[in-house]
Amino acid sequence: MKNETRNRKDKAGSLVSDQHGWIDFTLSKAALMITSIVILAAFYQIGADLSDIQVQKQLDSESIELKAAIDDIGSVSPDSIRQSSTYEFSTDFPANAFISGEYIRFETTYLDKTVHSVKPLTFRTLAHNETEMRKLLSNNFNGQTGTAEDPITTDTNTALELLSSVSRQELMLNTEKIVHIEKTSIYLKNDPEVRQLEIVLVYQ
């Protein structure tokens, strides 16, 4: 009888021990699974972050190159032979490019997020070609086109206000077409002197 009682206790103890063992094992597996999930999530997040950085770098590189091309022409002397150049986009992924009189902006969508790269322009810029600019001046200054032979009778601030109001609006550039960059001058006559206002034209 004592042996039978002892056997029951031993079996009960063994059963409790086995249950604790299974519980410990199950908890250990759950902990390992959670740890694995956290590690995988972190790994993919790092991968996503690295991809985001790569896309940003591509946009920054393109915007810096276009800015440099515009600034290069903007920095030449009015007497220089080289007053114009062209720029060809080199992006290997879909991106939109915009220009205003104050900055250039690149934009693309990556993983449902919009990525931007904005670079300020150093020189006074207008997203018009020569003909469009002269027509703009003529329409606003009694037919005067602002050339050396036909200077505008106005002060510098009035001319700058007009150019600033026109250039605030963004213009979308076609990244499949060449960008033309040209330096020109607007001549202002404020008796008795004639002033020269330099401007960079960016157009396609």
Side-chain angles (χ1 to χ4, degrees), residues 67 70-71 98-105 118-127 160 163-170 200:
K67 170 184 164 59
I70 295 172
D71 287 351
F98 303 88
I99 185 168
S100 76
E102 300 174 349
Y103 61 85
I104 52 175
R105 179 172 69 87
V118 181
K119 304 298 176 189
L121 295 172
T122 306
F123 298 92
R124 189 175 295 109
T125 303
L126 189 65
L160 289 177
L163 295 174
S164 295
S165 65
V166 172
S167 64
R168 285 193 195 104
Q169 185 177 1
E170 282 188 339
V200 179

Side-chain angles (χ1 to χ4, degrees), residues 44-198:
Y44 284 116
Q45 181 62 44
I46 290 171
D49 289 344
L50 289 175
S51 297
D52 287 350
I53 292 171
Q54 189 62 30
V55 171
Q56 186 69 60
K57 281 184 175 180
Q58 286 179 296
L59 279 185
D60 287 341
S61 175
E62 191 74 41
S63 59
I64 287 171
E65 286 184 16
L66 178 55
K67 170 184 164 59
I70 295 172
D71 287 351
D72 182 51
I73 291 299
S75 64
V76 301
S77 166
D79 300 325
S80 173
I81 296 175
R82 190 175 69 91
Q83 293 288 318
S84 64
S85 70
T86 59
Y87 178 83
E88 189 172 353
F89 293 96
S90 60
T91 47
D92 297 324
F93 59 98
N96 294 321
F98 303 88
I99 185 168
S100 76
E102 300 174 349
Y103 61 85
I104 52 175
R105 179 172 69 87
F106 280 74
E107 173 187 292
T108 191
T109 301
Y110 177 75
L111 295 179
D112 297 326
K113 292 187 295 185
T114 303
V115 184
H116 296 275
S117 179
V118 181
K119 304 298 176 189
L121 295 172
T122 306
F123 298 92
R124 189 175 295 109
T125 303
L126 189 65
H128 284 58
N129 60 32
E130 181 87 18
T131 301
E132 291 169 340
M133 186 194 70
R134 299 300 173 190
K135 184 177 180 181
L136 171 70
L137 295 173
S138 176
N139 290 340
N140 285 273
F141 294 105
N142 301 317
Q144 297 169 338
T145 58
T147 61
E149 298 77 19
D150 187 23
I152 297 170
T153 307
T154 189
D155 58 272
T156 304
N157 288 337
T158 302
L160 289 177
E161 283 176 9
L162 172 66
L163 295 174
S164 295
S165 65
V166 172
S167 64
R168 285 193 195 104
Q169 185 177 1
E170 282 188 339
L171 175 69
M172 187 173 184
L173 297 171
N174 187 338
T175 55
E176 295 182 357
K177 291 185 177 181
I178 291 174
V179 176
H180 297 273
I181 306 166
E182 177 184 338
K183 188 167 188 178
T184 189
S185 295
I186 298 172
Y187 291 86
L188 311 174
K189 185 177 181 181
N190 194 355
D191 289 336
E193 66 174 329
V194 174
R195 294 195 60 186
Q196 187 175 353
L197 189 64
E198 296 177 14

